Amino acid sequence: MRHHRPAGSVNNSRTRLLRHGTWQAAKWKQVQVGDLLMVESNCLLPADILLLSSSEPKGICYIETANLDGETNLKVRQSLPATSEHKQPSQLHSLQGQLVCEPPDDDTTKFKGSLYLDQVRYPVSLNQLLMRGTCLRKTSYVIGLVVYTGADTKVMKNSKPVPLKRSRVERESNRYFLLLLLILAFFTLFTTVANMVWTSRIGPFAWYITNNEISVGHFGAVLITCFIMFHTIVPISLQVTLEFMRIFQAYFIQCDLDMYDPIADIAAEARTSSLNEELGQVNFIFSDKTGTLTQNSMVFQGATVAGRMYGDAVSNGAEAYEFVSGVNSMRSEAAQGQNKDLDDFLSILTVCHTVIPERDSHDNLLEYSASSPDESALVYAAKDMGYELFERSLDTFVIVKVNGEMRRFEVLATFEFTSDRKRMSMVVRCPNGAIRVFCKGADSVIFSRLQSPHLVSETTNHMSKFAMAGLRTLCIAVGDMPQSEWSRLHTEYENARNDIERREAKLALVAEKLEKNLRLLGATAIEDRLQVGVPATINDLLLAGIRIWVLTGDKLETAVNIGYSCRLLQPEMEVRTLTGSSLSQVRSAVAELSHWLCGIASVKGKEPALVIEGESLSWASHQSVRNEFIDVCLQCRTVICCRVSPKQKSDVVRYVREAMPSAVTLAIGDGANDVPMIQESHVGVGLKGKEGLQAAAASDYSLSQFRFLKKLLLVHGAWNYHRVTIVILFSFYKNITIYVTAFWFALVSGFSGQVMFEKWTQALYNVFFTGATPFALGVWDRSCSVENCMRYPQLYRESQGSDRYNFKVFALWMLNGVYHSAIIFLCVLLAVSTGAVFSDGKTAGLYYLGSLVYAIAVITVGLKAGLEHTAWTGMSHLAIWGGIGNYLVFLVISSNFFPHAGGNFAEVVGYDRALFGSGMFWYLLMLVPALALTRDVAWKAYKKTCRKTLREEVFEMEKLRKDPSTVLFQGTYRK
């Protein structure tokens, strides 16, 4: 029902369809393929539609795709010129044609089809497709042809279930639940069989017991009775307690003001509560770079043009470089207008992109709408130097304003940037009539398409300096094309655009023919600054024993420099690089690295770090060398993978998980390319940044800044791990303590299945008398203060392993519960063995024995919870003493409630006066809990004195109000 209601609301949303020559209101569920649809401004699209026309000139419209990819920047779509003027119902009603397109799929990055109008074939692409879920902005209306509806739309095809993740503690607890079920089965079968033996031997003499003979019915009745008697050993209520506790823990994460970004107005968000304790056991962090470690706020800092470098990289003396901007010198030279190469360079920056200028009614520039921060930075930089993108019509023309002069570039062909091509090209007719190819992209693809190696050496050297300073680089090239050659290739280009099945492949072939004999102009240098607090956060996470791997698409030099800047790579580290263009080369390189690691292990103070290129990573992932490769990586303190694809990111995470099944991995990123990695890891953290909300939507926890990860792990993670494990162990213990007494009673009652507790009292044990105690432990208990958890990251190491929660710890807690139950029952049994006489002359019976055992067990369990508390709060006192008080109050009420509740509580009428008036009751109430807990107190005193952990020592210093740094390893913490 919860899912049906919102679905019904969406299906009944209103839109407008063209029916019988007029626009008529209709529901979304009535929209069919082939309908003509009108969508108005600020409305969501009900289906995937082919844009025919809009209220704007040339059929342009603006859409927001936040529901698809999380990006809030506006994107531009434009209809075909052949349909852009069809706006009136009469024109649309008379429109005759046919659309041929590909079958429905989940790829939101492409769309191929052909529109036939009056025997003319027009190719259509993603530029004409408006997908369901997008919102129309800054456009009064659009008119489109419905292509896909319902489950066939691209957004619905992408609606895949989020992978189910369970914490290591939860998986371990499930095995312990199975063990308790086996113990339950043993108690049930043993008691049943023992009753059969007792009946066969004693039954003939026990004349006072009716139906006391062995039979199938008798066996079945005893079996069921024993199961009911012992089934409460399994703490079913634990699951409810954990869920409520985790909800509170998630609430604390979301309300933490230290993880709130006031500038972006974004708070931390716990998108799941089932992994709270997993945050306290992280061993590996896999991080994206752009937008995760950096601000994803691109700033143009300089360039190299025709062999001249604008700006310079200056060493700061710490294995890293700072860049001195060359924008001013570049602006001055551009203003002179004498440098032809610089003119071509800036023209390409202004023309070769997909940026759209948005202007007001007075032609004043409002902003540039760009799909990526890189393109926006380049266009704004060109504008700053006098080359302003004035007007643009997709696939038609671009107008550039250069120092007051308007230059019109006619767009003849566009080959957009893809992760496979790593470049973007445009064929344009320049203002002087010449046809030229503008191209920008990665150096690895541009250099191989040059006519001559002229300027390659100088440009490479300059790009290396850019990369050393942590700047992102992009090569710029231009090519001249004769009219005759373009006439020939134009036909191939149009045929490729009209091919539905093999459009990408054919366009790629045409691009290969066009993108050749290019002339290198230079390269750009864009700075993406580190986020605030990233170096200190990484340093502290490393001190916490967490290994950090950076997986980025940047080039090697940029990744290495960022590594030094954020202190992931440090001067005392020895850094090696894994490169190779074939399987044999990578295999040899891995063997060499393995030998190097054996040698460096004997060098004191040296820590290995490894940098891996994307191509070599592809070969290293081969089955024949993968295990050796992962072994090498796991021996390194830091690993940086550059030039990697989204799939390679998720593969790296999977390889580590397979190699180290006990390790907990965390992946953090901010873009759609990080989603596979985030979903592959044990814990996924998404940053809400400029690349959209896809990473945050696919994550388990979302933040706004990388530095907030420190508190999420070192404080919330460590606290939650401590809380969850102690709650699980205590819940198992308290049930064993009270309900195993039933087994001891069975030994002295002929294994009859007789219960010594009143039924309501037994049922309310986990609800009113001990239910609040584990909740207080799980919500308010803590091991160290926030300040010390943040100040001393070394404390986190204690929660990374499984020392606090494993089978040995579980078994010891269970044996302790059995021990306490035995002490309680035997002491009470011995006390009442000679009988007990009340003040009114009556003698004690079965429920007197049960009430004594029950009261002592409640007090013992409450005091045990007090021993396990590390931070007493008001809620701790209320839970422990309130639970004991609840039982005493309930005892009074239940003893005086009959006959007001029918036949309930008839067995315990007047027991409050009998118990409270018995000296034995008060004597045992004080003696037995102290006797049972003597071993626990002695063991805790021994641990606190002789075997204190680092966290316990720091916590002790806190209580004494002393500086905890005196008990920490001096020199291991770097401020």
Side-chain angles (χ1 to χ4, degrees):
M1 291 297 295
R2 216 170 27 180
H3 297 288
H4 176 73
R5 288 193 188 103
S9 175
V10 170
N11 289 334
N12 290 319
S13 300
R14 312 293 289 186
T15 188
R16 300 176 69 186
L17 297 176
L18 185 65
R19 297 283 171 82
H20 309 294
T22 60
W23 294 112
Q24 299 181 7
K27 297 179 179 180
W28 278 25
K29 62 183 180 182
Q30 297 173 328
V31 176
Q32 299 179 2
V33 174
D35 284 341
L36 291 178
L37 186 73
M38 174 183 283
V39 179
E40 297 178 340
S41 182
N42 299 320
C43 291
L44 295 176
L45 274 80
D48 292 350
I49 69 173
L50 182 73
L51 178 61
L52 298 179
S53 60
S54 74
S55 59
E56 301 300 307
K58 304 181 180 65
I60 289 178
C61 71
Y62 299 92
I63 58 172
E64 182 184 275
T65 59
N67 292 334
L68 272 65
D69 53 20
E71 296 181 6
T72 56
N73 59 295
L74 299 183
K75 296 178 176 61
V76 180
R77 295 292 184 264
Q78 184 175 13
S79 65
L80 296 173
T83 63
S84 61
E85 298 302 323
H86 288 68
K87 302 179 182 182
Q88 300 302 320
S90 58
Q91 294 175 297
L92 296 168
H93 187 68
S94 61
L95 188 64
Q96 299 292 322
Q98 181 182 14
L99 175 66
V100 179
C101 63
E102 59 189 357
D105 60 35
D106 60 356
D107 192 346
T108 60
T109 63
K110 66 174 185 176
F111 173 72
K112 298 179 292 185
S114 294
L115 181 64
Y116 293 87
L117 297 174
D118 299 327
Q119 307 301 318
V120 180
R121 182 180 185 181
Y122 300 95
V124 293
S125 65
L126 195 65
N127 284 333
Q128 287 80 43
L129 185 70
L130 306 182
M131 299 183 199
R132 172 176 173 164
T134 59
C135 186
L136 188 65
R137 301 290 190 192
K138 295 186 178 181
T139 308
S140 298
Y141 66 86
V142 294
I143 298 172
L145 173 68
V146 177
V147 183
Y148 307 123
T149 61
D152 290 336
T153 58
K154 290 185 179 291
V155 65
M156 296 300 293
K157 288 285 186 180
N158 277 277
S159 300
K160 298 177 182 178
V162 177
L164 177 64
K165 295 183 179 181
R166 295 186 302 165
S167 69
R168 185 165 66 180
V169 171
E170 184 179 355
R171 295 193 299 269
E172 193 76 13
S173 300
N174 289 340
R175 290 193 284 269
Y176 300 156
F177 269 106
L178 292 177
L179 179 60
L180 282 182
L181 289 175
L182 293 177
I183 295 175
L184 170 62
F186 167 76
F187 278 164
T188 302
L189 292 175
F190 178 84
T191 306
T192 302
V193 173
N195 178 264
M196 295 297 103
V197 175
W198 186 89
T199 301
S200 65
R201 293 183 179 181
I202 310 299
F205 306 101
W207 51 269
Y208 50 85
I209 301 178
T210 59
N211 299 324
N212 194 23
E213 57 183 19
I214 298 177
S215 65
V216 175
H218 178 70
F219 179 86
V222 174
L223 182 69
I224 295 174
T225 300
C226 292
F227 176 79
I228 295 174
M229 182 172 61
F230 293 122
H231 82 280
T232 45
I233 288 177
V234 182
I236 303 300
S237 62
L238 174 59
Q239 296 299 329
V240 179
T241 302
L242 286 176
E243 286 304 316
F244 275 101
M245 181 184 70
R246 284 168 171 160
I247 289 173
F248 271 86
Q249 292 172 354
Y251 175 76
F252 292 154
I253 290 175
Q254 297 186 157
C255 294
D256 193 331
L257 293 179
D258 291 337
M259 296 193 294
Y260 169 72
D261 184 0
I263 298 176
D265 191 24
I266 297 175
E269 180 182 2
R271 301 178 59 82
T272 180
S273 60
S274 61
L275 300 175
N276 293 342
E277 64 272 20
E278 200 86 328
L279 293 171
Q281 292 188 282
V282 173
N283 304 101
F284 287 87
I285 292 178
F286 299 91
S287 175
D288 177 41
K289 183 189 77 68
T290 304
T292 304
L293 301 179
T294 62
Q295 299 177 11
N296 200 16
S297 179
M298 308 300 177
V299 179
F300 184 87
Q301 291 288 10
T304 171
V305 181
R308 178 182 174 181
M309 180 171 164
Y310 296 89
D312 195 12
V314 180
S315 174
N316 60 12
E319 299 289 341
Y321 291 81
E322 296 180 356
F323 193 80
V324 179
S325 176
V327 173
N328 290 334
S329 59
M330 200 171 177
R331 184 190 300 114
S332 300
E333 189 163 345
Q336 297 174 7
Q338 302 299 318
N339 191 329
K340 181 65 170 60
D341 289 328
L342 183 59
D343 177 70
D344 289 342
F345 186 90
L346 294 175
S347 296
I348 293 177
L349 296 188
T350 316
V351 174
C352 189
H353 49 70
T354 58
V355 179
I356 298 293
E358 297 184 25
R359 298 183 175 276
D360 59 18
S361 57
H362 302 289
D363 261 354
N364 296 317
L365 180 66
L366 297 176
E367 63 177 345
Y368 287 128
S369 179
S371 58
S372 74
D374 298 76
E375 285 196 338
S376 178
L378 293 176
V379 173
Y380 273 112
K383 179 179 180 294
D384 184 50
M385 297 173 197
Y387 287 68
E388 178 185 352
L389 174 61
F390 188 82
E391 186 179 354
R392 179 190 189 93
S393 177
L394 292 179
D395 299 330
T396 308
F397 65 86
V398 177
I399 296 179
V400 179
K401 186 177 181 180
V402 182
N403 297 323
E405 175 193 355
M406 293 294 186
R407 298 182 184 178
R408 179 187 175 95
F409 293 85
E410 182 183 350
V411 179
L412 304 178
T414 302
F415 302 91
E416 296 185 358
F417 179 90
T418 65
S419 57
D420 294 330
R421 283 171 39 81
K422 296 181 180 179
R423 63 191 183 277
M424 177 183 180
S425 298
M426 293 180 68
V427 181
V428 299
R429 190 184 304 277
C430 297
N432 60 3
I435 297 177
R436 309 186 81 182
V437 179
F438 290 171
C439 187
K440 65 178 183 181
D443 54 351
S444 57
V445 296
I446 297 295
F447 288 169
S448 61
R449 288 164 174 78
L450 298 178
Q451 186 176 23
S452 70
H454 179 59
L455 295 179
V456 170
S457 177
E458 296 91 332
T459 303
T460 301
N461 291 335
H462 295 165
M463 291 176 66
S464 298
K465 290 185 178 182
F466 295 154
M468 285 162 46
L471 304 182
R472 299 162 63 93
T473 58
L474 199 67
C475 283
I476 306 296
V478 65
D480 297 315
M481 178 170 293
Q483 177 65 49
S484 57
E485 184 176 357
W486 168 243
S487 299
R488 178 177 57 84
L489 291 175
H490 178 259
T491 303
E492 296 184 26
Y493 175 71
E494 291 299 327
N495 291 336
R497 292 180 65 197
N498 286 314
D499 193 304
I500 299 176
E501 297 181 356
R502 299 182 57 209
R503 177 177 296 176
E504 284 81 7
K506 288 189 174 182
L507 284 175
L509 291 175
V510 177
E512 287 292 335
K513 297 177 181 180
L514 289 168
E515 299 165 340
K516 64 180 183 179
N517 297 328
L518 302 177
R519 178 170 60 88
L520 182 63
L521 292 175
T524 60
I526 298 178
E527 180 184 16
D528 188 7
R529 295 187 178 96
L530 287 176
Q531 291 182 15
V532 176
V534 166
T537 300
I538 287 180
N539 187 68
D540 287 339
L541 293 176
L542 291 174
L543 287 174
I546 301 175
R547 299 188 189 183
I548 303 177
W549 293 20
V550 173
L551 313 177
T552 177
D554 283 331
K555 61 188 306 181
L556 187 145
E557 294 85 355
T558 303
V560 170
N561 186 266
I562 291 295
Y564 280 111
S565 300
C566 67
R567 300 173 73 174
L568 184 62
L569 298 177
Q570 299 178 358
E572 63 269 19
M573 289 183 176
E574 187 168 339
V575 182
R576 290 291 181 94
T577 303
L578 175 62
T579 58
S581 57
S582 66
L583 180 60
S584 59
Q585 290 180 0
V586 171
R587 183 183 285 113
S588 301
V590 169
E592 183 180 341
L593 288 171
S594 181
H595 179 72
W596 163 67
L597 287 170
C598 293
I600 201 175
S602 60
V603 181
K604 188 176 181 179
K606 278 290 184 182
E607 291 184 320
L610 183 62
V611 181
I612 307 167
E613 285 190 324
E615 184 179 5
S616 57
L617 178 61
S618 300
W619 293 111
S621 302
H622 193 272
Q623 192 66 40
S624 62
V625 72
R626 183 190 304 168
N627 292 337
E628 293 81 1
F629 165 69
I630 292 297
D631 287 341
V632 167
C633 293
L634 293 178
Q635 294 180 62
C636 294
R637 178 64 172 153
T638 295
V639 176
I640 297 177
C641 301
C642 52
R643 296 294 195 191
V644 291
S645 65
K647 183 179 183 303
Q648 286 178 315
K649 290 184 178 183
S650 64
D651 287 343
V652 170
V653 177
R654 188 177 75 254
Y655 297 155
V656 173
R657 289 189 60 172
E658 292 173 351
M660 300 188 68
S662 61
V664 176
T665 60
L666 181 147
I668 179 170
D670 72 316
N673 59 329
D674 301 315
V675 170
M677 172 179 71
I678 287 173
Q679 294 184 335
E680 183 64 39
S681 61
H682 292 94
V683 182
V685 178
L687 295 187
K688 297 179 180 179
K690 296 183 179 180
E691 290 194 28
L693 300 175
Q694 274 189 305
S699 66
D700 306 303
Y701 301 89
S702 64
L703 307 170
S704 64
Q705 297 287 319
F706 181 85
R707 68 178 184 273
F708 297 151
L709 185 64
K710 176 183 175 182
K711 188 171 187 183
L712 182 67
L713 299 185
L714 303 191
V715 178
H716 292 284
W719 281 3
N720 292 339
Y721 176 69
H722 166 78
R723 291 165 174 171
V724 169
T725 53
I726 196 66
V727 165
I728 294 174
L729 293 171
F730 180 77
S731 297
F732 284 139
Y733 154 81
K734 69 184 181 69
N735 275 36
I736 290 289
T737 300
I738 186 67
Y739 294 121
V740 170
T741 56
F743 180 74
W744 305 132
F745 181 69
L747 296 178
V748 296
S749 61
F751 305 97
S752 60
Q754 175 64 47
V755 180
M756 58 179 169
F757 306 131
E758 191 273 326
K759 59 183 179 181
W760 282 101
T761 306
Q762 183 176 3
L764 295 176
Y765 176 76
N766 283 318
V767 180
F768 288 114
F769 309 143
T770 61
T773 307
F775 192 78
L777 278 169
V779 176
W780 289 285
D781 194 35
R782 59 174 176 80
S783 52
C784 282
S785 66
V786 175
E787 294 76 15
N788 284 328
C789 286
M790 296 288 283
R791 185 181 178 190
Y792 305 111
Q794 300 95 323
L795 298 175
Y796 185 80
R797 294 173 183 260
E798 291 185 16
S799 66
Q800 282 180 308
S802 57
D803 294 339
R804 287 187 55 87
Y805 191 73
N806 52 43
F807 180 75
K808 177 183 176 182
V809 175
F810 168 78
L812 289 175
W813 272 80
M814 296 305 98
L815 291 175
N816 196 35
V818 173
Y819 167 74
H820 286 176
S821 68
I823 292 292
I824 293 169
F825 182 79
L826 289 176
C827 288
V828 174
L829 185 64
L830 289 173
V832 301
S833 60
T834 56
V837 180
F838 304 138
S839 59
D840 60 358
K842 296 180 180 179
T843 58
L846 173 65
Y847 287 112
Y848 178 76
L849 171 70
S851 297
L852 272 175
V853 170
Y854 199 95
I856 294 171
V858 169
I859 293 176
T860 303
V861 167
L863 294 178
K864 174 64 174 175
L867 285 176
E868 297 304 322
H869 263 82
T870 55
W872 281 84
T873 63
M875 298 304 299
S876 305
H877 287 284
L878 181 62
I880 293 174
W881 309 121
I884 297 173
N886 282 345
Y887 173 67
L888 297 178
V889 172
F890 177 80
L891 187 61
V892 174
I893 294 175
S894 61
S895 300
N896 297 278
F897 209 68
F898 181 81
H900 304 294
N904 293 306
F905 308 114
E907 304 92 339
V908 292
V909 171
Y911 258 80
D912 55 337
R913 295 180 294 276
L915 288 171
F916 297 156
S918 170
M920 181 186 297
F921 173 77
W922 297 108
Y923 177 72
L924 292 176
L925 220 59
M926 292 184 291
L927 175 65
V928 179
L931 180 62
L933 292 171
T934 298
R935 189 210 65 82
D936 299 74
V937 174
W939 173 248
K940 188 167 286 288
Y942 167 73
K943 283 190 65 180
K944 294 287 187 181
T945 306
C946 304
R947 297 180 57 183
K948 282 188 290 190
T949 64
L950 183 61
R951 187 175 286 271
E952 289 171 341
E953 289 193 56
V954 171
F955 188 66
E956 183 177 319
M957 287 291 182
E958 284 182 14
K959 291 190 289 185
L960 296 175
R961 297 184 178 180
K962 294 182 179 180
D963 184 7
S965 61
T966 58
V967 300
L968 292 166
F969 298 106
Q970 300 298 324
T972 59
Y973 183 77
R974 306 181 184 91
K975 288 188 177 180

